[in-house]
Amino acid sequence: MNQETMETARLRKWDHDFDELTGRAVPPDRLGAILQRAAAAPGGGSAGGGAARRSRLGAAAVMLLGLAATVGVMALEGTAVRGVAPAVQRHAGAQDPVRGAPVQDPQKGQEPQGQEPQGQEPPVAVEPPPARPQEPAAPEVLAPQPAQPPNPLAEILRLREKLDEDAGENANPFAKARGGADDAAALFAALAARDGEARAAEMAAAALGGQDPEREKAQQLTAKQVLQARLARDAEAVATLNQLLMGEKAKVVRAGDLFTGRGGQAWQTKFGEDYGKAVQRLQQELLNLQRAEDAAAARKVLDEMSLALDAVRLALWRKEQEADKEPAKEPPAAQRPAQDPRR
Amino acid sequence: MGAAGRTPSGDAGYAAGGAPRRGPAGAGPQELQELEELEQLVRRHQGMVWRYLRLLGADPDEADDLMQETFLRIGAARREPVAAPAAFLRGIARNLLIAARRAQRRRTPTREWTAAVDELAADEPAAFDDARMEALRRCLLRLRGRGRRAVELHHVDGLSYRSAAERLGIGVHGFKTLLDRARRALRLCVRQHMEGDLER
């Protein structure tokens, strides 16, 4: 064995190890996809690289559906308590962009359709909402902070859903604006960071870089996808906080990269000045976090971030209070449809 | 290069009954047990296979595809017990990478390189395991002084030798020496961590 080659292998291994530690290239968890394919394919067998790729997209679809399920469930929680019809849920089902996202993936468009074993398609794609709370992908999305009751992400999400609903169905202030592309890029970047999906990262780069066909695709995303992007960012932010508390600074850069400071103005317009400022502050603190030289500095920034997160929540809460002062939007009790019996 | 049995992984044997694979219509107890075994195998080794493929030269996406394919192959092919599943999986993964590269008319990893990577795996049986990454993370936190700074500048921040050396105010040669010493300390620490974990 050539010693030089051996040494090169060792050095490259170090590089890969640190790529993983810093979140630049992390091994994906494909347990679900592999088991689905193993169960669906008689005789196991080789499905080839294309099939593996499709399966990866399928796994991404499952993850996205899990995200959608989370939104649906939380939106239902947010509205059912108030006795409002589960229109949010129907709304989510009707224009759930997450379902559409994999279809928009140009990579998938190149794949021959209809050759996939049936079991490879995420079975939840046509499942009615009641099954979604048991969806395995959903806890993953919000997994970073299971021990934090009440869940700030859930609250933010619920409030946003409520505000979206108040703004009217099909409200999509971002679809035609440049902000839509930016937020779509953020969505892809968040997905890329979570799952190491290089293709998603490419789309993010393309959306940010302004390549026209990709940007058009990104602009077709609906407001709900923008919401998902924000959710993913928030999840990353909270995950970062938790990791810092545990002494893990490794993922700070990765999560911090997601907070690029874009889209603040649009959200400020939609959710009020307080919210916009609070988010911008949070973004700034995340940038500071990236620059923190040591654990003490990071912890100091962390304190500021906690305050900033509180400010975000407060701004949303105030907005919700304002929204609640307009009872005309809610139908009278007699006209309200019955509570969803599945809940 | 027969990888099976070459790398002592410490894993229990991965036996399979040789029963017919489960069809899409339904699953009997045997099939369910097979799926459970496959699940355990994937849980335990998917990271290892992915890292191994990466070191062989696959990009993250390619490694992802081939990692899935590797487990499907072993799922389909298991007809008899495999003594060292980690090495067996690496063998499948390596062959899949070579076959895929040939099909795409891309350069395949050289024999020398695959042999070097396999020797690395043989020297350090846990080199590609998830546990090693956790140990490395802990050891990095314990690393102090200029050694840690050197590792962070070069590996975490991605600075070149020259830039990192300038940042530390030393020559390139000195920086390489410093980095090499830090890596050795890390390697020793990781080994101790993993041995400690095993003893516990």
Side-chain angles (χ1 to χ4, degrees):
Chain A
M1 172 66 56
N2 186 338
Q3 269 315 111
E4 201 175 326
T5 310
M6 197 64 211
E7 192 52 35
T8 307
R10 285 188 198 285
L11 287 178
R12 198 166 293 176
K13 181 75 174 63
W14 278 114
D15 287 340
H16 287 177
D17 286 348
F18 281 101
D19 278 353
E20 190 173 335
L21 276 184
T22 51
R24 287 193 283 258
V26 182
D29 183 1
R30 298 289 180 236
L31 176 64
I34 292 170
L35 290 182
Q36 269 190 356
R37 293 178 63 194
S46 167
R53 238 182 338 273
R54 283 193 298 278
S55 171
R56 187 160 42 77
L57 289 170
V62 169
M63 185 195 69
L64 287 170
L65 283 168
L67 203 62
T70 312
V71 171
V73 169
M74 289 180 174
L76 197 62
E77 284 173 357
T79 53
V81 173
R82 293 172 175 77
V84 178
V88 174
Q89 198 172 13
R90 285 199 300 277
H91 175 65
Q95 62 160 18
D96 189 346
V98 176
R99 283 184 194 174
V103 178
Q104 289 171 354
D105 189 334
Q107 189 183 17
K108 184 149 189 171
Q110 291 160 7
E111 297 289 338
Q113 300 295 317
Q115 295 177 9
E116 197 72 351
Q118 284 190 346
Q120 258 180 284
E121 289 301 321
V124 290
V126 291
E127 283 292 316
R132 292 184 176 180
Q134 294 160 8
E135 177 68 32
E140 280 179 21
V141 174
L142 297 173
Q145 38 129 17
Q148 289 186 10
N151 183 340
L153 289 182
E155 188 183 356
I156 289 172
L157 184 65
R158 181 175 64 77
L159 293 174
R160 285 181 185 169
E161 279 288 339
K162 176 78 166 58
L163 291 169
D164 269 0
E165 188 68 11
D166 289 346
E169 283 204 358
N170 302 318
N172 184 359
F174 308 103
K176 292 177 184 174
R178 176 62 188 156
D182 285 341
D183 280 301
L187 169 67
F188 292 129
L191 293 176
R194 261 176 48 106
D195 272 15
E197 291 284 348
R199 181 60 197 154
E202 278 172 24
M203 290 189 72
L208 285 171
Q211 293 174 18
D212 282 343
E214 298 287 355
R215 195 198 308 170
E216 280 176 15
K217 280 198 182 74
Q219 285 174 346
Q220 287 166 7
L221 299 175
T222 64
K224 191 152 285 187
Q225 270 177 301
V226 175
L227 191 71
Q228 306 286 14
R230 291 289 166 171
L231 172 67
R233 288 191 196 185
D234 289 348
E236 283 287 341
V238 175
T240 304
L241 293 178
N242 289 340
Q243 280 158 6
L244 268 180
L245 283 171
M246 292 187 297
E248 294 181 10
K249 203 185 163 194
K251 287 192 175 178
V252 169
V253 175
R254 179 184 134 202
D257 284 343
L258 295 177
F259 274 73
T260 50
R262 293 182 303 275
Q265 187 61 44
W267 283 84
Q268 184 167 320
T269 307
K270 188 167 174 60
F271 292 122
E273 195 175 347
D274 287 348
Y275 176 83
K277 282 181 180 171
V279 167
Q280 281 172 4
R281 182 178 165 198
L282 191 60
Q283 290 168 340
Q284 183 57 47
E285 292 301 340
L286 269 165
L287 289 175
N288 291 341
L289 199 57
Q290 288 182 63
R291 297 176 188 134
E293 285 291 329
D294 52 36
R299 201 165 283 277
K300 209 170 176 181
V301 177
L302 186 65
D303 291 337
E304 290 297 319
M305 285 179 71
S306 300
L307 293 174
L309 267 176
D310 282 343
V312 170
R313 294 171 62 191
L314 181 65
L316 286 169
W317 180 79
R318 282 187 180 143
K319 192 73 182 174
E320 190 199 33
Q321 296 301 307
E322 288 174 17
D324 280 347
K325 284 179 187 169
E326 300 172 27
K329 285 189 177 178
E330 293 201 352
Q335 293 177 13
R336 287 177 193 159
Q339 290 277 342
D340 190 343
R342 292 169 298 203
R343 295 193 55 81
Chain B
M1 179 177 318
R6 179 174 177 176
T7 306
S9 67
D11 289 315
Y14 178 61
R21 293 285 302 165
R22 164 193 181 184
Q30 179 75 33
E31 288 80 6
L32 285 177
Q33 188 187 345
E34 282 184 9
L35 277 179
E36 280 173 15
E37 287 173 359
L38 182 61
E39 180 181 349
Q40 284 175 13
L41 200 70
V42 175
R43 275 187 200 284
R44 190 163 189 171
H45 294 300
Q46 61 175 339
M48 180 274 294
V49 173
W50 187 87
R51 291 182 193 105
Y52 175 74
L53 284 164
R54 288 276 291 130
L55 192 56
L56 279 181
D59 62 42
D61 222 14
E62 189 179 21
D64 184 1
D65 286 347
L66 294 174
M67 182 262 286
Q68 293 186 43
E69 199 62 26
T70 299
F71 284 103
L72 290 176
R73 287 287 177 100
I74 200 174
R78 52 194 175 157
R79 290 286 182 271
E80 55 191 34
V82 177
F88 191 60
L89 283 165
R90 283 199 294 272
I92 295 176
R94 183 182 56 245
N95 291 337
L96 283 174
L97 175 65
I98 292 170
R101 288 287 176 89
R102 279 183 184 148
Q104 296 160 3
R105 295 172 188 265
R106 291 170 62 197
R107 285 179 62 185
T108 59
T110 62
R111 285 189 182 191
E112 189 178 8
W113 183 252
T114 54
V117 174
D118 282 335
E119 187 163 319
L120 183 68
D123 286 350
E124 301 176 42
F128 299 92
D129 287 357
D130 296 341
R132 181 175 186 277
M133 294 309 301
E134 176 58 22
L136 180 58
R137 189 186 63 75
R138 278 191 261 166
C139 289
L140 187 59
L141 290 174
R142 286 174 53 185
L143 198 62
R144 292 277 177 264
R146 285 154 63 91
R148 176 171 177 164
R149 191 84 186 112
V151 168
E152 283 183 345
L153 285 173
H154 182 65
H155 286 299
V156 179
D157 297 342
L159 294 187
S160 66
Y161 287 135
R162 182 175 297 279
S163 304
E166 281 173 9
R167 194 74 72 87
L168 286 181
I170 57 178
V172 174
H173 186 72
F175 179 79
K176 284 183 180 175
T177 307
L178 182 64
L179 190 61
D180 192 45
R181 227 181 293 152
R183 283 195 204 115
R184 255 182 286 161
L186 278 177
R187 192 178 302 154
L188 182 66
C189 172
V190 166
R191 192 168 294 170
Q192 286 171 347
H193 257 288
M194 298 195 66
E195 284 170 1
D197 286 346
L198 281 178
E199 283 168 13
R200 274 195 292 276

